[in-house]
């Protein structure tokens, strides 16, 4: 008999999406595996959380794992190197990490430190990001690629940095930007390193389809491109133009889209070379996707290729196009952000309480109750597997009729409460019957939708903004009890008081489901949920909805002995901090509160002896975490 699949795989599909980074221990704990050291035993995630809790670091928190990040950098760089070796491609790969994808100092510092061995560089899309890039000790061959709209100050800093030894490439986004660069370069008397951003016409599938191709906001069309080339030639700076850049898109689902776009980029490259532009670098931007769902198909949250295939396709396509046009192979540059950093961190939070969509018992119908109450209660009498659909229909009908009666004033609040509880008890029994049934039915799907609500200690808007904004899916699983059959299904609601602050799409083994299988909340310990692969964009794009600030962030290193080292702790925002972000002065707030307390004492509404307690409560709140403590 084949081994039975563990629940973690058969329900949550962990084996499908985990990429070998996450597994489940026999005791049901989710555990982290060290990709850099296969000998290391997986480390229990609830164990790590308990340890952090003892050190005073509470959830919600973002947990970054050093080797998860390093593994991805190594994977991308070695996959390019292998494809280059295998195909006899005659130039190296020089990747850059786009700082916008995760600007946190801990992350960028680590990427630079580990990436040095691969001459890995940085992409800066703004002045502040260039300032970050220039504070890092990159290898002598690493690039800094400057994209985005640039003013004179940006351009001056980029050009001056060449004198320190940085390879800072200014990618020209428009003819106007070329004028700024020419003027600053001439004024400084320094040759800049230049690139041109070419707008490709190929449309790329996926979430960003409508902003790719002609609709892309960035890059020059052919007419603008030729004007810039002529202008640089006229200004005696054409010899500085060595890089061609096109951003293929983000999270490209279909690898054949990559091939098509790269082929088009090569056409520009070979034609520009023919025009006398001394190009040496071809930058293909971002786009390498992450298989969030593990489906391995060209879909919004999945991809139909892996890193090795992406790299091979680029190397082969460029090599072939250049050979055909008899142009020297360019140094290959990509700006993969998501694929490098997404898997490196996870968001962990505790469930605060639940609103259950069923009840273990039902009250008796009282003599004075409306006759529809008896009809509702009578459903219980014919609730057998063969008639479960009929019972579900009847229960909903009577419940809805009773609600209508309540709205019109024919039944009172107590009767309505009894009716709701009878209904919820019927729900519990219907769910039991459906769960025990071997056949799936439409009712099964219906019941998944009317799940419990688990109220969780996090803010969707702060920690998972793409889930809210663009329907991003991340794998989500309970972090414990995965050796026990989950007995409930829930949607997750966050701690903001916004009805959008909820998650109701979940990656499961065989479907994207409207509710997550979960366990009844244990009474004696926290019940944690983990949201995986949140290291790209989420930390950066999050906002202060309801003034929930940054969560605690910890970076850990997995130790071969099954323990972990705490490499860095970044405390989450205090209330005083988030107030100052929205232009309140916490000291002014405290002074205003103190004044009101004193006035209340003068009017005899507050006792003088309570003044200290009241002010201390206000001050403590100011200094506290914005989340449920
Ligand atoms: C110019 C540029 N480069 C790189 C990236 C990173 O893309 P990805 O995270 O898909 O690799 C982006 C993001 O959209 C971008 O705009």
């Amino acid at each position: 008999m084949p081994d039975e699949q563990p629940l973690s795989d058969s329900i949550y599909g962990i084996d499908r999406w985990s990429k070998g980074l996450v597994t489940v221990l026999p005791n049901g704990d989710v555990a982290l595996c060290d990709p850099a050291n296969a000998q290391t035993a997986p480390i229990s995630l609830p164990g790590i959380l308990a340890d952090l809790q003892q050190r005073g670091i509470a959830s919600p928190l973002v947990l970054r794992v050093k080797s998860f990040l390093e593994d991805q950098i190594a994977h991308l760089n070695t996959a390019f190197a292998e494809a280059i070796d295998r195909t006899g491609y005659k130039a190296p790969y020089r990747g850059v990490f786009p700082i916008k994808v995760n600007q946190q100092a801990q992350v960028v510092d680590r990427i630079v430190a580990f990436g040095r061995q691969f001459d890995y560089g940085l992409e800066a899309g703004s002045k502040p990001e260039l300032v970050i890039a220039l504070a890092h000790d990159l290898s002598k061959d690493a690039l800094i690629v400057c994209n985005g709209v640039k003013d004179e100050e940006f351009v001056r800093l980029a050009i001056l940095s060449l004198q320190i030894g940085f390879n800072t490439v200014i990618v020209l986004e428009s003819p106007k930007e070329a004028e700024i660069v020419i003027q600053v370069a001439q004024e400084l008397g320094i040759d800049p390193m230049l690139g041109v951003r070419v707008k490709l016409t190929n449309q790329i599938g996926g979430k960003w389809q409508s902003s790719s191709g002609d609709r892309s906001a960035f890059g020059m069309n052919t007419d603008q491109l030729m004007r810039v080339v002529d202008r640089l030639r006229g200004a005696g700076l054409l010899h500085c133009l060595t890089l061609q850049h096109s951003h293929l898109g983000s999270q490209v689902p279909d690898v054949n889209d990559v091939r098509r776009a790269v082929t088009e980029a090569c056409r520009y490259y070979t034609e520009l070379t023919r025009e006398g532009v001394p190009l040496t670098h071809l930058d293909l931007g971002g786009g390498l996707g992450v298989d969030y769902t593990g489906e391995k198909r060209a879909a919004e949250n999945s991809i139909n290729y892996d890193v090795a295939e992406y790299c091979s396709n680029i190397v082969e396509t460029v090599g072939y196009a250049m050979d055909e046009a008899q142009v020297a192979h360019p140094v290959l540059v990509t700006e993969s952000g998501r694929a490098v950093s997404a898997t490196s961190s996870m968001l962990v939070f505790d469930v605060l309480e639940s609103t259950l969509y069923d009840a273990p018992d039902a009250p008796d119908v009282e003599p004075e109750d409306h006759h529809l109450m008896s009809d509702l209660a009578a459903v219980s009498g014919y609730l057998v597997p063969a008639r479960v659909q009929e019972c579900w229909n009847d229960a909903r009908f009577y419940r809805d009729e009773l609600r209508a009666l309540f709205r019109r004033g024919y039944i009172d609040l107590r009767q309505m409460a009894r009716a709701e509880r009878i209904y919820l008890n019927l729900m519990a029994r219907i769910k039991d019957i459906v769960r025990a049934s071997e056949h799936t039915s439409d009712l099964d799907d219906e019941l998944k939708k009317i799940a419990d609500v688990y109220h969780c200690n996090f803010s969707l808007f702060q920690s998972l903004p793409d889930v809210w904004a663009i329907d991003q899916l991340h794998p989500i699983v309970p972090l414990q009890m995965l050796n026990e059959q989950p007995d409930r299904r829930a949607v997750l609601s966050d701690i903001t008081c916004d009805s959008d602050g909820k998650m109701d799409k979940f990656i499961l083994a065989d479907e994207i489901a409207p509710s997550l299988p979960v366990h009844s909340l244990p009474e004696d310990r926290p019940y944690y949920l983990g949201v995986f692969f949140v290291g790209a964009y989420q930390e950066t794009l999050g906002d202060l909805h309801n003034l929930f600030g940054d969560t605690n962030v910890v970076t850990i290193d997995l130790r071969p002995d099954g323990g972990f080292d705490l490499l860095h702790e970044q405390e989450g925002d205090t209330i005083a901090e988030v107030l100052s972000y929205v232009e309140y002065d916490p000291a002014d707030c405290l002074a205003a509160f103190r004044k009101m307390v004193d006035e209340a004492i003068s009017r005899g509404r507050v006792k003088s002896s309570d003044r200290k307690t009241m002010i201390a409560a206000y001050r403590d709140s100011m200094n506290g975490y914005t989340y449920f403590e």
Side-chain angles (χ1 to χ4, degrees), residues 26 53 84 311 409 460 519:
Q53 182 84 35
I84 284 170
C311 298
L460 191 76
H519 305 87

Side-chain angles (χ1 to χ4, degrees), residues 98 100-101 123 147 197 247 249-251 286-287 335-338 537:
K100 66 170 139 302
V101 177
E123 185 259 2
N147 291 318
R197 181 151 177 180
H247 172 52
S250 199
Q251 184 65 17
E335 304 174 356
S336 294
R338 180 188 301 278
Y537 299 103

Side-chain angles (χ1 to χ4, degrees), residues 488-506:
R488 310 209 61 91
R489 294 194 70 114
V491 296
L492 309 181
S493 116
D494 76 0
I495 194 173
T496 68
C497 49
D498 189 310
S499 52
D500 277 355
K502 70 168 186 333
M503 285 193 275
D504 55 11
K505 273 198 200 123
F506 301 93

Side-chain angles (χ1 to χ4, degrees), residues 1-68:
M1 217 174 85
D3 283 348
E4 220 177 287
Q5 237 192 341
L7 294 177
S8 48
D9 298 341
S10 63
I11 296 178
Y12 300 102
I14 292 185
D15 56 339
R16 231 169 48 146
W17 54 256
S18 69
K19 303 167 203 353
L21 302 173
V22 181
T23 188
V24 175
L25 302 176
N27 72 353
D29 282 1
V30 168
L32 304 179
C33 310
D34 188 351
N37 189 353
Q39 310 308 324
T40 302
I43 302 178
S44 156
L45 195 40
I48 293 174
L49 295 174
D51 187 320
L52 292 174
Q53 182 84 35
Q54 272 182 354
R55 299 180 201 214
I57 307 171
S59 70
L61 58 85
V62 168
L63 188 70
R64 298 195 191 118
V65 186
K66 177 173 174 268
S67 57
F68 285 14

